Amino acid sequence: MSDEKDNCDKPAAEPTAAGGFVPIWIFILTLVLLFFGTVYFDRHSGWFDKQVYAPFQSAEGLAMYQPKSGEAAMIAHGKAVYESVCGTCHGSDGLGKPDQVPPLAGSEWVSKDIPSLVRVPQTGLNGPIKVAGKDWNLAMAPMGAGLSDADLAGVLTYIRQSWGNRSSAVSADDVKAARAAISGNAPSADELAKMTPVERGHAVFRKYGCFQCHGQDGKGGVSNFNAKTAEQVPSLIYVADGYNKAELMAFISRGERVIPRKNPEGPEPPHFMPKWGPIINTNELSDIADFLFSLKPKGDNLGF
């Protein structure tokens, strides 16, 4: 009895914990699951917007597919045309390129009266201009000359209401009226029909402002700093030595964005060949090729 009593009086031993290690693979698995969970959330959650669900990933993406009408439709269309024709130089943010292309964001030219605004893309620019308080000396091809009235109106409306700009919309009728006032001396359809291909090509050369970079009649270009072609936009009088007609039409259509540099370590030349394919139609391409071939002096074969 005494032994049993002594055993009952002894306090129970305190539990103890032994040291141990958590397998490293648990940490790795946790991190992997957390990573993929975050990616899945980012792509499929719509960030708690109950109107966004698969296959859409954001409210912005969903908005792109919503039916639009009126001014909203014009701006959406204008943005698409802008990114195709204008965005390469002026940027998707409208900020342009330092010392090469002026900005459209905050530009006083964007808010000018509609005829003055239409004139810039319709006829291009060549020479000094002040934009947002800074002087620029540049040549800009008339990238809007080949756009329809509706397309150019959409682009200008998009520009006037983006990147902090707040100006009224531009209608297709506004563009049509401005173009009529600007191009009073342009050949009529009947006059063009009576011309030879070379004469029509010369009219196309003037219409799209090619002379603003390549010089009158294509015989001398404007300065193009650090360009391998003697730091100027090249003359066109010997293109017949470098291309056949199909090759020349293809080159004009696709353009040349990257211009070889005189100094490989120096800056990118500011002027390049635009992609004219979406702007100039096939008949105009054919005529301008005939005109350019006609520039070669008879009997010369000096190489391109």
Side-chain angles (χ1 to χ4, degrees):
M1 290 290 294
S2 176
D3 291 339
E4 291 180 2
K5 183 178 181 180
D6 289 343
N7 289 335
C8 291
D9 291 340
K10 290 181 180 179
E14 293 290 333
T16 59
F21 296 95
V22 177
I24 190 66
W25 65 266
I26 293 181
F27 289 103
I28 296 174
L29 178 61
T30 301
L31 291 173
V32 169
L33 292 175
L34 182 61
F35 171 77
F36 283 106
T38 303
V39 171
Y40 184 88
F41 176 84
D42 183 57
R43 293 183 177 180
H44 299 89
S45 69
W47 286 94
F48 304 109
D49 189 332
K50 63 182 180 180
Q51 295 182 344
V52 180
Y53 47 85
F56 304 105
Q57 300 175 5
S58 66
E60 292 77 11
L62 177 62
M64 290 177 59
Y65 291 91
Q66 298 305 304
K68 298 178 178 65
S69 61
E71 191 171 307
M74 175 182 285
I75 292 174
H77 178 66
K79 179 180 180 181
V81 178
Y82 172 87
E83 291 177 347
S84 173
V85 177
C86 318
T88 301
C89 291
H90 290 286
S92 58
D93 54 7
L95 296 179
K97 298 178 181 177
D99 300 321
Q100 293 187 24
V101 183
L104 297 174
S107 168
E108 66 274 26
W109 287 86
V110 172
S111 59
K112 281 183 175 290
D113 61 278
I114 291 174
S116 297
L117 177 62
V118 171
R119 180 178 293 275
V120 176
Q122 178 67 23
T123 64
L125 289 170
N126 191 7
I129 185 175
K130 187 181 288 291
V131 181
K134 182 178 179 180
D135 292 321
W136 301 79
N137 194 351
L138 50 82
M140 170 186 158
M143 301 300 292
L147 299 179
S148 68
D149 293 340
D151 284 351
L152 185 53
V155 169
L156 297 179
T157 297
Y158 171 68
I159 290 171
R160 282 162 71 91
Q161 299 189 13
S162 299
W163 317 303
N165 298 329
R166 293 292 180 267
S167 296
S168 60
V170 179
S171 70
D173 288 340
D174 291 333
V175 172
K176 183 176 182 179
R179 281 175 157 169
I182 292 167
S183 57
N185 295 324
S188 66
D190 290 339
E191 291 171 330
L192 286 171
K194 297 175 183 177
M195 293 180 179
T196 66
V198 170
E199 290 171 335
R200 288 197 301 270
H202 195 187
V204 174
F205 188 83
R206 294 194 303 269
K207 173 183 177 180
Y208 292 105
C210 306
F211 65 89
Q212 300 210 54
C213 289
H214 292 285
Q216 294 293 336
D217 295 327
K219 296 179 181 179
V222 299
S223 174
N224 197 16
F225 180 71
N226 201 38
K228 197 171 184 178
T229 51
E231 295 197 314
Q232 70 175 32
V233 176
S235 166
L236 300 174
I237 61 176
Y238 290 111
V239 294
D241 289 342
Y243 300 90
N244 61 38
K245 186 172 181 179
E247 291 170 342
L248 181 58
M249 291 174 64
F251 176 77
I252 295 171
S253 182
R254 70 174 180 269
E256 186 176 28
R257 179 64 186 86
V258 179
I259 302 300
R261 304 183 190 189
K262 181 178 180 180
N263 175 10
E265 305 300 323
E268 180 182 359
H271 301 304
F272 62 91
M273 178 73 172
K275 182 179 180 179
W276 288 103
I279 300 172
I280 301 180
N281 65 48
T282 303
N283 289 335
E284 290 176 323
L285 277 173
S286 177
D287 290 338
I288 199 172
D290 288 335
F291 166 67
L292 295 178
F293 284 151
S294 77
L295 298 179
K296 180 182 175 182
K298 299 298 183 286
D300 282 2
N301 187 15
L302 303 180
F304 180 63

